[in-house]
Amino acid sequence: MGKYTKLKIFLIFFPLFLFSIDNQKLLDCYEIFAQKKAELEAEAEKILEQKEALEALKNTYMALIKKKEQKLLQKEKEINATLKKIELEKKEIQKLIEENRKILDEIKKAKLDKVAQSYAKMRAKNAAEILSNMPQKDALTILQKLQPKTISKIFAKMDPKKAALLSEQLLKIKEKNESSASP
């Protein structure tokens, strides 16, 4: 074989040799890339599963919050309705109390009028004795309902000190009523 033939053979086989070495390295790289690709795909799948789990948890949490808000709004409506009902009942009770107070005042006035009529019909001496022995406030209340002529007859039969004290108190009450009646 000639020099050129050896060289030709060398030149033909050398690139094949190099190609086979590079091909082996290339195959190794493909295997590494395939492994890395599989690892990355597994990692991506794991991340995707975690993302889905997180999304499901978020949706569950949001649904729970929405449900709690609805319950809270319902309770708020119930409380407001109850408060409104209580306010209405309170107004009704206050109205009843006021009506009862008026009725009670009318009864007291009627009772006092009856008592005053009884004292007006009584003998002055008996009325003076009874009024002298009762609490001053009660005696003044009764005397206010009597006519001035009747009061003077009763005071004439009463102890002068007691009559003076009751007269003084009646004047104060009269002045107080007149000052509160006029602006």
Side-chain angles (χ1 to χ4, degrees):
M1 291 195 172
K3 215 177 181 188
Y4 287 113
T5 323
K6 283 186 183 180
L7 186 62
K8 280 183 183 179
I9 292 175
F10 177 73
L11 286 177
I12 291 174
F13 283 111
F14 184 69
L16 285 174
F17 175 73
L18 283 178
F19 180 72
S20 72
I21 291 175
D22 282 343
N23 198 16
Q24 184 61 36
K25 286 183 183 178
L26 192 60
L27 286 176
D28 288 344
C29 282
Y30 282 131
E31 285 179 20
I32 291 171
F33 287 144
Q35 275 181 341
K36 288 293 181 185
K37 182 180 174 185
E39 288 175 11
L40 288 174
E41 285 176 348
E43 191 67 30
E45 184 68 29
K46 192 185 287 183
I47 289 171
L48 187 61
E49 287 174 3
Q50 289 175 347
K51 182 181 175 186
E52 289 172 355
L54 184 62
E55 191 68 30
L57 182 63
K58 177 185 164 191
N59 290 339
T60 303
Y61 183 70
M62 293 306 287
L64 183 63
I65 287 176
K66 191 172 183 178
K67 193 174 184 181
K68 293 275 184 183
E69 285 176 347
Q70 288 173 345
K71 281 186 177 179
L72 186 62
L73 287 174
Q74 183 63 31
K75 286 290 184 187
E76 187 176 1
K77 285 179 183 178
E78 290 173 6
I79 289 171
N80 287 337
T82 303
L83 285 174
K84 191 174 182 178
K85 184 179 176 184
I86 289 171
E87 280 298 317
L88 290 172
E89 288 176 358
K90 181 180 175 184
K91 286 179 182 179
E92 191 176 316
I93 289 170
Q94 287 174 337
K95 184 179 173 185
L96 289 172
I97 288 172
E98 189 60 34
E99 288 175 8
N100 286 341
R101 186 172 290 132
K102 286 178 183 178
I103 292 170
L104 184 62
D105 288 345
E106 289 174 12
I107 292 171
K108 284 181 181 179
K109 186 178 183 272
K111 181 180 171 186
L112 187 58
D113 288 344
K114 289 276 188 191
V115 170
Q117 284 177 5
S118 297
Y119 278 88
K121 292 177 183 176
M122 232 183 252
R123 287 186 175 174
K125 182 180 177 186
N126 292 341
E129 221 177 283
I130 295 170
L131 289 170
S132 294
N133 291 319
M134 71 170 49
Q136 184 176 337
K137 182 181 175 188
D138 294 339
L140 288 169
T141 305
I142 293 169
L143 287 170
Q144 284 175 328
K145 293 289 183 179
L146 297 175
Q147 295 294 323
K149 186 177 179 183
T150 309
I151 295 173
S152 65
K153 287 180 182 177
I154 293 172
F155 280 169
K157 300 292 181 179
M158 197 178 275
D159 175 52
K161 288 182 182 180
K162 184 72 173 181
L165 181 65
L166 289 173
S167 295
E168 187 181 316
Q169 293 297 321
L170 278 174
L171 285 173
K172 285 182 182 178
I173 291 172
K174 185 177 180 182
E175 287 174 4
K176 184 179 174 184
N177 288 342
E178 286 175 357
S179 66
S180 64
S182 61

